[in-house]
Amino acid sequence: MISVEARLAKLALQGDQRAFAEIVELYQDKLYHMAYRMLYNRQEAEDVVQDVFLRVYKNLERYDTTMKFSTWIYRIATNLCIDRLRKRKAVYSLDAESGEHEGLDGYAMIPSEDRTPETELLLSDTQRIIHQAIATLPAKYKSVMVLRYLEDLSLQEIGDVLDMPVTTVKTRVHRGREFLRKKLEHKL
């Protein structure tokens, strides 16, 4: 059975603009959140999302319908994020998005009835510390940690997205967790 995304890709390849618009609609927010969590920079995340859709549009004929469409599009996005991280200077990646509210993600902005201003502040502080620690990870660990813990992908899905064996993914998740544990043990 062919997926909805694969059908949309096929229609878009035949020139159906609405089908491509639906693909954009389905993935733009998910890709933005993933890119932001890897780059911690709104402008760069928006640029990555634009680049992803340009590449998808140009390379639609190369999409293999036996592969999940989400795997293909996440692979493109992850690779673009990794490229940007590699181009950054080490000092810059530690200070990226150091503005007052830039470090907060969408989850911290969701209001909740059972949160007091004090718990809100504690939560956002904890999230900021964790996000800053993730920001310091080397790119090969950062991509795996973001996909695993912030995007909730399985080890197999991460392996598919990054085109690497599950054993390598497990190793990188383990090393990434160790790196974070050492960074966070004196901060939390």
Side-chain angles (χ1 to χ4, degrees):
M1 185 170 136
I2 190 164
S3 71
V4 172
E5 290 98 334
R7 270 199 301 275
L8 289 171
K10 189 175 180 182
L11 289 169
L13 193 55
Q14 295 167 355
D16 186 333
Q17 297 290 320
R18 286 179 303 184
F20 190 77
E22 279 190 57
I23 290 171
V24 171
E25 186 68 33
L26 278 171
Y27 284 99
Q28 67 183 358
D29 289 344
K30 293 174 189 171
L31 294 175
Y32 172 78
H33 289 295
M34 193 229 28
Y36 182 77
R37 287 171 170 162
M38 285 185 74
L39 302 168
Y40 293 100
N41 181 295
R42 293 183 198 286
Q43 187 60 53
E44 278 191 288
E46 289 170 5
D47 290 349
V48 163
V49 172
Q50 274 191 326
D51 289 349
V52 168
F53 289 119
L54 280 171
R55 288 191 184 197
V56 167
Y57 190 78
K58 288 179 185 174
N59 298 297
L60 217 41
E61 76 281 350
R62 295 172 64 195
Y63 165 61
D64 176 4
T65 54
T66 62
M67 179 189 242
K68 282 174 66 178
F69 189 82
S70 59
T71 299
W72 185 62
I73 201 167
Y74 270 103
R75 178 181 291 172
I76 294 168
T78 303
N79 287 338
L80 287 169
C81 288
I82 289 170
D83 288 347
R84 283 181 179 259
L85 288 169
R86 284 184 181 140
K87 288 176 186 169
R88 284 182 182 174
K89 292 185 175 92
V91 176
Y92 174 71
S93 70
L94 296 175
D95 298 326
E97 291 280 343
S98 59
E100 270 309 293
H101 299 290
E102 294 297 312
L104 296 177
D105 64 44
Y107 297 114
M109 301 299 184
I110 298 172
S112 171
E113 298 82 10
D114 58 332
R115 288 187 184 168
T116 65
E118 292 83 13
T119 57
E120 224 22 78
L121 183 64
L122 260 174
L123 187 64
S124 64
D125 260 3
T126 304
Q127 285 177 332
R128 183 183 48 76
I129 291 166
I130 291 168
H131 284 274
Q132 284 174 344
I134 290 172
T136 66
L137 286 170
K140 68 180 183 178
Y141 300 128
K142 181 187 245 183
S143 59
V144 169
M145 297 300 281
V146 167
L147 292 171
R148 180 75 180 115
Y149 295 107
L150 301 178
E151 296 299 320
D152 282 330
L153 269 68
S154 71
L155 296 174
Q156 183 61 57
E157 288 171 323
I158 295 168
D160 293 344
V161 167
L162 298 176
D163 197 23
M164 66 176 59
V166 173
T167 53
T168 305
V169 173
K170 284 182 184 176
T171 301
R172 289 189 181 179
V173 166
H174 176 73
R175 289 185 181 152
R177 277 199 306 238
E178 283 301 304
F179 187 101
L180 287 176
R181 187 182 56 74
K182 286 176 185 162
K183 281 268 182 203
L184 296 172
E185 65 188 357
H186 300 295
K187 292 184 178 183
L188 293 177

